[in-house]
Amino acid sequence: MYLATTDAVAKTSEQSEVRRGRVAGPVLALGAVSLVTDISSEMVTAVLPLYFVLQLGLSPLQFGFLDGLYNGVTALVRLAGGYAADRGNRHKLVAGGGYALSALSRLGLLLAGGATAGIGAALAADRIGKGVRTAPRDALISLSSPPDTLGRAFGVHRAMDTTGALLGPLAAFALLWATADAYDAVFVVSFCFGLLGVLMLVAFVPNAGAPTAARPQAPAVRRPGAWRSGALGLVRVPAFRRVLVAAALLGAATIGDAFLYLLLQRRLDFAISWFPLLPLGAAAVYLLLAVPAGRLADRVGRRVPFLAGHVALLGGYVLLLAPTDGWPLLIGVLLLLGVFYAATDGVLMALVAPVVAQERRASGMAVLQTGQALARLVAAAGFGAAWTLWGVQAALTCAVLALTVALAGAAALLRPSEKSPGGPS
């Protein structure tokens, strides 16, 4: 009797907190894990473009292929991670395995000793770990939050995640400056932060439970044949398919951040020692706008900020084509890039969650993230090829045209179809 009464009181308290607009505890715990893990990963990734292009002397085509490969290598493991998480309700276990693999990849970088093959293998392991953990983690966030506050929940998580992205490059810059470009020190400290993230996940993040009255179920379309056919069967659900195609279409017209940073360094000709600090500008804007963008998405519908974010990215491309120079160019591109991520990253997950049944939540998010990752692989390789063959101006012009067409297509696919902001509206 006591346990039943206590459980009822706890559920009533949880509902009261939701009504007051508070973010659930598991979301905050996952945000803290992501913050620490992003410090670890961004310490390494912040210096990769500089290392590959300026030190190893790779061409833009080669760098574009590698950048796209490392982002696309997660495709199959995303699907496997989502499927494994949904089977037996093992979201925390699968996510923890991904975090652990990424942490261990830092040791691989340390042991590679500058060998390109070893560095490539370590980076691939990091991307695989990220691919495994992302869908289960986002599923945990969505399963811990009611549908009408998903935008805010993902916004808070992404803000905390971006805090780590903000601190990571700064830590890498400070270490390289203090140790006279000793990359080993960056790898060791990165591993320590990654290990801390794994321990925090184990200690503070509960696993998602089965749907209860305290956790409203999503108004998803339930077609038994589609769900039984596995993760790819989700594509048969029209609402999910529209979001998937729109995200892939826009992803295929989105060139990698690394290219934008390389273009800024090329245009402004600043010292390469400042290169790792470029992501800080975009991360700061993302940090400030992630939560407001999530709240706006909950109020007006997630379609609007998602498309508006890509319009901001288009503005960044146009700015790089314009004769703008100096601080206006630097601030403008980083500002628009930060707006793009704040309005699209978490908002996309909040957009798709209500149209996927809870028992297939991780699988659905994995399918969506896989489609987006493969599309961005094509975009990175295509932009690198265009830059190499035709020059940077022609490549940027192609990117502007491609994103404009993709925006028109995505706007048609995500046309308002439901009054609820949880749907693709």
Side-chain angles (χ1 to χ4, degrees):
M1 175 66 71
Y2 174 76
L3 292 177
T5 304
T6 302
D7 186 57
V9 171
K11 289 181 179 179
T12 302
S13 176
E14 178 182 349
Q15 289 174 323
S16 298
E17 288 188 2
V18 168
R19 284 195 295 269
R20 290 195 295 269
R22 295 182 181 177
V23 175
V27 176
L28 296 176
L30 284 165
V33 172
S34 294
L35 187 157
V36 173
T37 303
D38 246 34
I39 292 176
S40 171
S41 61
E42 293 301 323
M43 286 180 67
V44 175
T45 58
V47 299
L48 288 183
L50 189 67
Y51 178 77
F52 280 137
V53 174
L54 299 182
Q55 184 166 334
L56 295 184
L58 299 184
S59 70
L61 174 59
Q62 291 172 311
F63 175 71
F65 177 77
L66 286 174
D67 185 62
L69 178 62
Y70 289 137
N71 285 283
V73 74
T74 62
L76 293 179
V77 296
R78 284 179 191 269
L79 296 176
Y83 179 75
D86 284 331
R87 284 183 61 86
N89 188 36
R90 296 181 293 185
H91 300 85
K92 177 179 176 179
L93 177 63
V94 176
Y99 280 111
L101 181 59
S102 292
L104 292 174
S105 72
R106 312 294 184 251
L107 291 182
L109 288 171
L110 186 64
L111 298 174
T116 304
I119 292 175
L123 292 176
D126 175 55
R127 299 297 185 177
I128 291 172
K130 182 177 177 62
V132 166
R133 72 177 183 255
T134 301
R137 180 204 65 197
D138 285 347
L140 282 170
I141 295 172
S142 69
L143 292 172
S144 301
S145 308
D148 59 346
T149 63
L150 284 173
R152 177 181 301 176
F154 278 104
V156 169
H157 173 268
R158 295 314 197 252
M160 297 178 73
D161 182 85
T162 306
T163 301
L166 190 68
L167 296 175
L170 186 61
F173 176 81
L175 279 171
L176 290 177
W177 178 80
T179 60
D181 296 337
Y183 286 92
D184 286 355
V186 175
F187 300 151
V188 169
V189 175
S190 174
F191 168 72
C192 292
F193 274 106
L195 182 60
L196 176 60
V198 175
L199 296 176
M200 291 174 63
L201 178 76
V202 172
F204 300 114
V205 177
N207 199 20
T212 64
R215 185 185 295 115
Q217 294 198 26
V221 179
R222 293 180 179 270
R223 296 185 179 182
W227 303 129
R228 283 198 299 265
S229 63
L232 294 180
L234 293 166
V235 179
R236 300 177 187 175
V237 181
F240 178 81
R241 185 170 61 246
R242 288 197 301 271
V243 178
L244 173 63
V245 174
L249 185 63
L250 289 167
T254 303
I255 64 176
D257 297 354
F259 276 122
L260 297 182
Y261 299 145
L262 287 171
L263 289 171
L264 283 174
Q265 197 278 334
R266 178 190 179 103
R267 284 278 301 273
L268 301 178
D269 195 28
F270 51 77
I272 61 174
S273 60
W274 295 99
F275 189 88
L277 296 181
L278 285 179
L280 295 180
V285 177
Y286 187 5
L287 173 62
L288 292 174
L289 298 182
V291 176
R295 289 177 175 172
L296 178 66
D298 287 336
R299 293 175 183 173
V300 305
R302 286 136 198 174
R303 169 183 181 268
V304 175
F306 181 69
L307 294 175
H310 285 87
V311 172
L313 182 65
L314 179 63
Y317 295 173
V318 172
L319 195 58
L320 283 167
L321 274 175
T324 312
D325 211 344
W327 285 105
L329 175 64
L330 178 64
I331 295 174
V333 171
L334 296 181
L335 175 65
L336 291 169
L337 186 60
V339 171
F340 161 68
Y341 279 114
T344 60
D345 188 13
V347 172
L348 177 59
M349 295 298 103
L351 177 66
V352 77
V355 299
V356 180
Q358 291 192 12
E359 65 269 20
R360 286 289 182 267
R361 187 64 55 81
S363 297
M365 290 182 168
V367 171
L368 178 63
Q369 293 161 359
T370 296
Q372 193 176 49
L374 291 176
R376 288 181 173 177
L377 184 154
V378 173
F383 184 80
W387 184 350
T388 301
L389 297 175
W390 305 326
V392 64
Q393 291 296 108
L396 270 174
T397 301
C398 290
V400 168
L401 294 175
L403 186 52
T404 301
V405 173
L407 269 167
L413 287 166
L414 299 177
R415 62 190 182 280
S417 58
E418 300 179 12
K419 293 182 180 180
S420 169
S425 58

